[in-house]
């Protein structure tokens, strides 16, 4: 069972889940250690609208990946997955340990550590959820 660390709901589309996406397509030259871990460089990505941030502060300036030919915001490598498997993008989602290695562990404070199956089940409901104890 794969586990995706969800840092927050997307502040722009409202239905996406923002996590740390890792790219290893190209080497990048940077003086900032906090964007690289184990040969990968990292950025925050909404899994729905593809808004991206270069740091885990979702109140800062963001960009969007192109819908047809998405490129990594750090190395400019093509991210479109040709075989159509997964979420359609090359790379992977960071684990909680990788997020900590980036020095972004402060972003984990409110993060969800649900499995992808558990997260998908939350979006499969029959109607609105009353979080005080019952269905509406």
């Amino acid at each position: 069972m794969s586990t995706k660390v969800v840092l927050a709901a997307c502040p722009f589309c409202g239905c996406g889940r923002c996590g740390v996406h890792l790219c290893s397509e190209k080497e990048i030259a940077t003086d900032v250690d906090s964007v690289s871990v184990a040969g990968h460089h990292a950025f925050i990505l909404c899994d729905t609208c593809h808004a991206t941030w270069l740091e885990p502060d979702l109140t800062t300036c963001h960009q969007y990946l192109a819908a047809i030919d998405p490129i990594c915001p750090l190395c400019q490598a093509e991210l479109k997955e040709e075989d159509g498997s997964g979420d359609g993008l090359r790379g992977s989602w960071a684990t909680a340990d990788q997020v900590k290695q980036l020095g972004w562990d402060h972003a984990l404070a409110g993060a969800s550590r649900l499995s992808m199956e558990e997260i998908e089940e939350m979006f499969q409901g029959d109607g609105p959820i009353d979080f005080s104890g019952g269905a509406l």
Side-chain angles (χ1 to χ4, degrees):
M1 180 184 308
S2 65
T3 300
K4 174 181 178 180
V5 177
V6 177
L7 301 180
C10 180
F12 294 97
C13 72
C15 61
R17 300 156 299 188
C18 295
V20 178
H21 197 78
L22 301 175
C23 174
S24 61
E25 294 299 312
K26 291 183 182 177
E27 290 287 325
I28 61 169
T30 180
D31 294 333
V32 182
D33 291 335
S34 67
V35 296
S36 296
V37 60
H40 298 76
H41 46 277
F43 56 95
I44 308 301
L45 175 68
C46 170
D47 63 2
T48 300
C49 71
H50 289 174
T52 64
W53 293 262
L54 301 182
E55 59 184 314
D57 180 356
L58 304 185
T59 64
T60 61
C61 186
H62 70 285
Q63 305 171 30
Y64 289 96
L65 295 182
I68 296 174
D69 293 316
I71 59 170
C72 173
L74 292 166
C75 73
Q76 308 303 306
E78 290 184 24
L79 292 179
K80 185 176 182 179
E81 204 169 53
E82 297 301 324
D83 64 4
S85 65
D87 60 6
L89 296 175
R90 291 183 181 146
S92 61
W93 295 101
T95 65
D97 287 339
Q98 290 170 320
V99 173
K100 289 176 185 175
Q101 290 173 13
L102 288 164
W104 290 353
D105 48 329
H106 62 281
L108 293 173
S112 166
R113 289 169 185 77
L114 299 173
S115 71
M116 286 303 291
E117 291 80 13
E118 291 168 325
I119 292 170
E120 292 301 324
E121 283 177 20
M122 290 174 19
F123 289 95
Q124 301 287 329
D126 294 329
I129 298 171
D130 176 6
F131 290 103
S132 65
L136 295 174

